Amino acid sequence: MSSDGRAAWSREINAYTRAISGAYIFGVPLLFTMEMWWIGEYIDRSKLLMAVGLAFAANFGLSWVSGFRRDSSLFASVEEAIEAVAVGTITASAMLLVLNRIALGDPIESVAGMILVQAVPLSIGASVANEVFGRPGNRRGKSGHQHLSAGKELLSDVGATMIGGVFIGFSIAPTEEVPMLAAALDYPHLLALVAFSLGVSYIIVFASGFDRPHPEGVFQQPITETALAYVVSVVVALVVLYLFDRITFGQPLQSIAQQALVLAVPTTVGGAAGRLVV
């Protein structure tokens, strides 16, 4: 493959990772809302099609002024709006599978309804990601941040992860969805949940190409920073669950761990977003 071909593929992959990142950053709270699951199962199919049409219209407008690519022509905006809805559908499917809300043996209409309802806000998140976090190559004047020592960089990353995790976690921890999801997860799903959280965190911060300095340091490398941020996100999840009396010291350790790993999905997403903007 020629260098131009590789560059084109690299731009495509970068565009889609930004879209996936934006989808999860903006849509993750609704993925943890039981009313959204139930609506998807029972919504009238004509209304569901209207919702998808509304998502396309909204994403077309967003693609025209922003989008996760740089081309704002009419045809490109239509194409990108379709892709944004597709990204929303794929990201919703992945999250719902990991959370055990859908399974391969479930009725196809029920699964499709649940996915498409969730795909609406996720697709919009995919379209607006560039405007919120900046486009690749656009430095935003964080020169002071780049000159921090390795220790201060570490504290900055940990602090940003905690801030973003608390911001998202506080809106989800008090709900009944967390223990409901935790009770339905077996060990394979819990392992998938950990892998999913680590993967999404890596994609948002390192693979998406959003504007972010990359300082040197042991804990600023992609693998180590992602692992450390996940540990911080799990701790944030435990603290927030304790504050809202969702877990207690007398509770079985397995129940505590299950709820923490469930809540760590949104706190990890929030922590990754925090590291982008701080």
Side-chain angles (χ1 to χ4, degrees):
M1 184 183 292
S2 67
S3 58
D4 288 343
R6 286 194 295 270
W9 273 106
S10 177
R11 287 193 297 272
E12 281 297 297
I13 293 170
N14 193 255
Y16 281 114
T17 52
R18 289 197 304 276
I20 291 169
S21 301
Y24 282 131
I25 289 171
F26 291 95
V28 73
L30 288 174
L31 284 163
F32 281 75
T33 305
M34 66 177 73
E35 288 79 7
M36 290 289 285
W37 308 332
W38 296 339
I39 288 171
E41 289 187 81
Y42 301 112
I43 188 172
D44 183 81
R45 295 314 168 216
S46 62
K47 292 182 179 179
L48 186 62
L49 290 174
M50 288 175 62
V52 174
L54 183 63
F56 172 78
N59 280 289
F60 172 77
L62 290 168
S63 298
W64 183 264
V65 298
S66 174
F68 53 87
R69 290 196 180 88
R70 300 185 184 187
D71 192 347
S72 59
S73 66
L74 177 62
F75 178 78
S77 295
V78 171
E79 183 181 25
E80 188 170 316
I82 295 171
E83 291 175 339
V85 175
V87 167
T89 301
I90 293 169
T91 51
S93 301
M95 180 75 86
L96 291 170
L97 274 170
V98 170
L99 293 175
N100 202 24
R101 289 296 91 196
I102 58 175
L104 297 178
D106 291 345
I108 187 66
E109 285 194 6
S110 173
V111 171
M114 198 179 302
I115 290 172
L116 290 175
V117 165
Q118 298 281 5
V120 175
L122 268 68
S123 67
I124 292 174
S127 289
V128 303
N130 274 334
E131 282 302 302
V132 176
F133 294 105
R135 295 179 182 272
N138 292 342
R139 290 296 172 197
R140 293 180 291 180
K142 294 187 179 181
S143 57
H145 182 83
Q146 292 176 334
H147 293 297
L148 294 178
S149 66
K152 289 182 178 179
E153 289 288 357
L154 174 61
L155 290 176
S156 175
D157 283 341
V158 170
T161 301
M162 291 177 62
I163 291 168
V166 168
F167 180 76
I168 299 294
F170 252 63
S171 65
I172 298 174
T175 67
E176 295 297 327
E177 282 82 351
V178 174
M180 179 189 299
L181 289 167
L185 296 177
D186 52 20
Y187 286 113
H189 277 102
L190 289 173
L191 290 174
L193 211 59
V194 174
F196 182 83
S197 300
L198 288 168
V200 169
S201 177
Y202 177 86
I203 288 171
I204 292 173
V205 178
F206 295 103
S208 61
F210 286 126
D211 179 17
R212 180 177 185 262
H214 296 287
E216 296 297 326
V218 174
F219 290 103
Q220 276 72 52
Q221 303 307 309
I223 300 300
T224 54
E225 182 177 326
T226 300
L228 176 63
Y230 183 65
V231 172
V232 172
S233 299
V234 173
V235 172
V236 168
L238 284 167
V239 172
V240 173
L241 287 168
Y242 179 74
L243 288 175
F244 285 109
D245 291 325
R246 310 310 291 179
I247 59 174
T248 62
F249 289 115
Q251 216 170 323
L253 184 59
Q254 180 178 346
S255 175
I256 294 174
Q258 286 175 311
Q259 291 191 64
L261 291 179
V262 167
L263 188 60
V265 177
T267 58
T268 298
V269 171
R275 301 205 307 284
L276 285 181
V277 300
V278 171

